[in-house]
Amino acid sequence: MQVKTKVIVISAIKFQEKSLIAKCFTLSHGLKTYFVRDAFSTRKSSQKIAYFQPLTILEIEAVHKNKGTLENFKEIKIGTPFQTIHTDIVKSTIVMFLSEILHYSIQEEEKNESLFIFLETALFWLDQHDEITNFHLILMLEITKYLGFYPDVSDTDLPFFEMNEGVFTLFHGLSALTEHETNLFKKLIDLKFDNDQKVFHVIERQLLLKILIDYYSFHLDGFKRPKSLEVLKEIFS
């Protein structure tokens, strides 16, 4: 099947000397993995390594065999040209971290157009703004809406958040946050990208990041702690 679609690059690993295997989240078909021949070649190529930096948005033409094997590109071009994401050290660290989060979160080859549009819009916002210290926290929480485990916010007046059930509760069970952690989490739920980015202290952001990673671990089979987590903490320390 010949396909024209936008994709977000989730990860890319070198294969042999000159090629890549790229995992991409596509607008039209969900998660797909592509074989990129001669990405490291010195000759002029339409499939260069620079296209496959984390969370780059591409427009592609591809042949999808849909047999669970590697797919192949026919043509690639930049879909949304970023101005700052891959040159700003803070932003590039954020997208490296978020690409790992998405790598372990999006598992199915199922179309999820609403998630794709949300991610594309959020990345464009990141590219255009400088006050971004809470961006990764807000994004991780918002992604849970599209993956099916966004917190039930009908009882946010209750003092504890139960991680396993995703609800606010009157009792402090084994998998519940403390009252202090719950209050921070409630504060995060109310945040939008354009809100005051200084609403949390460094220690509070690190605690929220731990809470979110634990929350993902409760709800996603095979979710792993991102390797870039320590680099992200260092950037925001």
Side-chain angles (χ1 to χ4, degrees):
M1 177 197 303
Q2 193 153 321
V3 174
K4 287 183 74 171
T5 187
K6 279 187 174 182
V7 311
I8 298 173
V9 177
I10 303 298
S11 64
I13 58 171
K14 191 172 183 180
F15 179 75
Q16 295 181 345
E17 286 300 312
K18 295 182 179 179
S19 301
L20 275 178
I21 294 174
K23 180 183 281 191
C24 299
F25 182 50
T26 75
L27 177 61
S28 62
H29 291 82
L31 197 65
K32 287 286 182 184
T33 305
Y34 297 90
F35 179 66
V36 189
R37 189 182 304 278
D38 293 331
F40 293 91
S41 174
T42 53
R43 65 183 178 81
K44 188 175 179 180
S45 169
S46 63
Q47 300 183 15
K48 285 293 187 183
I49 181 63
Y51 289 172
F52 297 94
Q53 296 180 76
L55 303 191
T56 300
I57 299 173
L58 305 172
E59 291 180 4
I60 68 160
E61 288 187 33
V63 176
H64 287 177
K65 296 178 181 176
N66 296 319
K67 294 181 178 178
T69 55
L70 297 178
E71 312 290 12
N72 290 282
F73 294 117
K74 290 190 69 178
E75 193 173 317
I76 307 173
K77 63 181 180 180
I78 296 293
T80 301
F82 294 135
Q83 303 303 312
T84 64
I85 280 180
H86 294 125
T87 56
D88 181 293
I89 184 64
V90 176
K91 292 182 181 182
S92 61
T93 302
I94 288 173
V95 297
M96 184 192 306
F97 170 78
L98 290 172
S99 70
E100 282 196 81
I101 293 291
L102 292 169
H103 177 80
Y104 293 123
S105 303
I106 304 173
Q107 303 292 345
E108 302 297 327
E109 287 194 18
E110 290 181 6
K111 183 177 180 179
N112 193 336
E113 189 172 318
S114 57
L115 175 56
F116 187 99
I117 292 169
F118 166 71
L119 290 172
E120 182 180 34
T121 304
L123 289 167
F124 184 74
W125 187 94
L126 176 66
D127 191 54
Q128 298 295 313
H129 291 79
D130 296 322
E131 295 297 322
I132 55 170
T133 51
N134 298 318
F135 177 85
H136 56 299
L137 302 175
I138 299 169
L139 191 80
M140 281 185 71
L141 184 59
E142 289 294 311
I143 286 171
T144 67
K145 289 180 180 177
Y146 304 94
L147 298 180
F149 58 99
Y150 188 75
D152 181 344
V153 295
S154 56
D155 291 310
T156 54
D157 56 320
L158 296 177
F160 303 106
F161 181 69
E162 220 298 322
M163 299 275 273
N164 195 37
E165 298 298 325
V167 298
F168 291 88
T169 177
L170 190 59
F171 305 103
H172 186 240
L174 287 174
S175 58
L177 300 179
T178 66
E179 194 164 357
H180 170 64
E181 291 169 338
T182 299
N183 286 333
L184 281 178
F185 197 56
K186 289 176 184 178
K187 210 170 175 180
L188 178 61
I189 286 172
D190 290 336
L191 271 192
K192 305 299 179 195
F193 290 134
D194 286 321
N195 290 149
D196 179 14
Q197 293 289 312
K198 295 183 174 68
V199 68
F200 298 119
H201 299 300
V202 172
I203 298 301
E204 290 175 331
R205 279 200 303 272
Q206 291 187 356
L207 179 54
L208 279 167
L209 187 55
K210 179 186 181 302
I211 288 167
L212 286 165
I213 289 172
D214 289 345
Y215 189 52
Y216 271 62
S217 298
F218 269 107
H219 293 274
L220 293 173
D221 289 338
F223 183 80
K224 296 181 181 178
R225 187 174 183 271
K227 294 177 182 177
S228 56
L229 179 59
E230 296 308 318
V231 181
L232 187 74
K233 286 181 179 178
E234 188 70 27
I235 285 288
F236 285 121
S237 63

